[in-house]
Amino acid sequence: MAAPADRKIILDQVRRLVVIPPASAPEGVIFYCARMLDGMCAGLIARLGQKPSPNIFSNLMTIESHRLIDTIGRELAHTLRRMGNGVRHTLDNSTEDDTKLAMVLVHEMLRWFESLDPGDEFAGALVQLNNRIDPGWSVVALVDLLTRIEDGDKPAVDGLVARREDALSSRFLAMLCAESLIACGKAAEAGDLLARCAEAYGSDQRHQQLAALVLSRTGKLEEAVAAAGKLLQRYGDDDETAGIAGGIYKRRWDRDQSQTKALDKAHDLYKKQWERGKKINAYLGVNAAATAVYRGEVDLARNIAGTVAAAMDLRDEALTKASLVPQDGGLAEYYDRVSRAEALLIAGQTDEAGAVYAAAFADYAWLTGSIEGTKAQAKRISATLGQQDVVA
């Protein structure tokens, strides 16, 4: 997209979308859904006072780093992005079930876009989409389960496990559901879904990334490391691949701290990805800083941590200037807050770090697993740096 489009132009794409017959031209439906997402992201970046990238992945990363999308919204957006890339850059056939997913996803993205800056003009577009979406479609129920899981609804996890068969209607839907299962501690079930997805549709880049994550989360670290190495050989310039591989190498070192080469690899991947992303992703930055601490590079770690904290302050100022309110409540907000705390801890600002940690733990007390991991990391950093323990 050459320049950010007015949102009325973005919404007008629905008029074109709804006249395309899904059974005859499924790729056309998906193209217009992805085109709308492109326009929404570019418009939002421009509102932040920045120049939109021609690469939607880059724009989504900037939006995420500015806390303007929550975890489930991010995953829905990336799924629609991947679907759009498929119809733009390959001649692979799409299915009518793929179009159902695309329409549900773009409907969710429109609701997200409206929440950032409400306006009467959204009503007509949403009605047009609603008229094309059958509430009885299995994809509607599955996306609802994914949203409930993000809100901490534990029975929804069991519901998603029970409906894995429905997820196989589209390879994109199957991978979206598998990713959610991994995130909520159901890696074995995700592995089963991915295996069946590969039988039905083959194995693409995203499938290979998630399969590597399943190996890591089910304790098969040697196999996970081998899978990470293959991913880096095939997709070494891909940010998502680098992030997943970095996590696998760090997990290997976590289990056996004699594996210093794995720690080095994790640090290099986190740092490279953080720098390529213009040093705005706090999660990547603090992981680069933490792995530098473990490598004994304290000065480098504190330099990175200071840059991360400063970037977060600038981001907050940009949001205020643009009159935008963070939309990342839930798990994404929790990790944003503890990333700031970790950056402060590494930078030596222990009192400030302790206060930020305590507030995040109090506000998100139900995230027990995440809090346990956060505390373990904070304690290890403090011990390595010889600083006071700031978490109880």
Side-chain angles (χ1 to χ4, degrees):
M1 189 167 293
D6 179 273
R7 68 182 185 180
K8 290 183 179 179
I9 297 174
I10 296 168
L11 295 172
D12 188 55
Q13 305 306 301
V14 176
R15 177 181 58 81
R16 305 180 185 203
L17 160 67
V18 297
V19 299
I20 300 172
S24 302
E27 293 81 13
V29 173
I30 295 168
F31 171 81
Y32 272 102
C33 291
R35 176 182 168 100
M36 290 171 67
L37 179 64
D38 287 351
M40 289 182 245
C41 292
L44 192 50
I45 297 299
R47 184 168 170 183
L48 288 169
Q50 300 182 27
K51 182 179 180 181
S53 168
N55 183 329
I56 186 176
F57 180 85
S58 177
N59 289 335
L60 275 169
M61 289 298 96
T62 300
I63 288 167
E64 180 185 353
S65 72
H66 280 77
R67 302 182 57 201
L68 291 173
I69 195 165
D70 63 12
T71 302
I72 182 61
R74 178 193 69 198
E75 299 312 324
L76 298 181
H78 279 299
T79 298
L80 184 53
R81 171 184 65 83
R82 294 185 189 102
M83 296 180 79
N85 286 345
V87 299
R88 289 186 187 109
H89 306 305
T90 76
L91 291 177
D92 294 344
N93 289 330
S94 300
T95 68
E96 193 167 353
D97 281 315
D98 289 334
T99 68
K100 294 177 182 178
L101 174 60
M103 284 190 284
V104 170
L105 294 182
V106 83
H107 182 273
E108 293 301 307
M109 291 296 96
L110 275 178
R111 289 177 59 192
W112 160 72
F113 195 47
E114 182 185 24
S115 72
L116 291 164
D117 190 11
D120 293 340
E121 63 268 37
F122 284 92
L126 288 169
V127 167
Q128 286 180 298
L129 272 175
N130 283 332
N131 289 338
R132 289 293 299 270
I133 296 173
D134 184 340
W137 288 347
S138 60
V139 64
V140 174
L142 286 169
V143 170
D144 178 65
L145 285 171
L146 295 173
T147 302
R148 286 164 51 196
I149 289 171
E150 168 68 9
D151 293 336
D153 184 343
K154 291 184 179 179
V157 178
D158 296 330
L160 182 59
V161 171
R163 298 196 65 160
R164 279 177 291 169
E165 187 72 33
D166 291 337
L168 289 167
S169 63
S170 161
R171 66 187 177 98
F172 296 102
L173 181 59
M175 288 185 283
L176 178 61
C177 291
E179 184 166 14
S180 180
L181 289 170
I182 294 169
C184 58
K186 297 288 185 180
E189 290 82 355
D192 172 70
L193 179 55
L194 288 170
R196 296 173 66 191
C197 180
E199 290 177 5
Y201 303 106
S203 176
D204 62 7
Q205 179 180 347
R206 187 57 179 166
H207 181 277
Q208 292 162 32
Q209 291 171 338
L210 294 176
L213 265 180
V214 166
L215 291 171
S216 177
R217 299 296 175 86
T218 54
K220 300 175 183 177
L221 279 179
E222 294 304 317
E223 294 177 57
V225 168
K230 290 179 181 177
L231 279 168
L232 290 171
Q233 287 179 348
R234 294 172 183 163
Y235 316 111
D237 293 332
D238 179 74
D239 287 342
E240 289 176 294
T241 294
I244 289 170
I248 289 172
Y249 287 120
K250 183 175 180 295
R251 187 179 289 263
R252 188 187 196 191
W253 177 80
D254 283 339
R255 174 176 288 187
D256 178 3
Q257 293 181 28
S258 70
Q259 298 286 338
T260 55
K261 289 185 178 179
L263 176 63
D264 293 343
K265 188 72 172 177
H267 172 73
D268 290 344
L269 287 167
Y270 282 132
K271 185 170 180 288
K272 177 182 176 182
Q273 193 179 12
W274 176 64
E275 290 173 340
R276 285 183 59 184
K278 301 178 183 177
K279 301 182 179 181
I280 61 173
N281 188 303
Y283 172 80
L284 294 174
V286 295
N287 274 290
T291 49
V293 168
Y294 303 144
R295 280 159 47 103
E297 299 175 306
V298 176
D299 289 343
L300 173 62
R302 286 184 167 155
N303 180 270
I304 293 173
T307 302
V308 169
M312 295 178 87
D313 290 339
L314 287 174
R315 172 203 68 188
D316 293 345
E317 291 174 10
L319 288 176
T320 300
K321 185 176 181 180
S323 299
L324 289 167
V325 177
Q327 303 289 312
D328 63 346
L331 191 61
E333 182 184 13
Y334 168 80
Y335 276 113
D336 184 84
R337 290 167 66 174
V338 297
S339 291
R340 184 189 292 274
E342 190 168 311
L344 292 169
L345 177 63
I346 293 171
Q349 300 177 50
T350 54
D351 290 342
E352 294 91 334
V356 177
Y357 275 126
F361 298 158
D363 290 345
Y364 289 98
W366 57 275
L367 293 174
T368 53
S370 297
I371 289 173
E372 182 180 343
T374 299
K375 287 183 175 181
Q377 174 105 325
K379 288 177 181 293
R380 176 180 285 178
I381 290 170
S382 294
T384 304
L385 292 173
Q387 297 175 170
Q388 67 185 60
D389 193 351
V390 300
V391 295

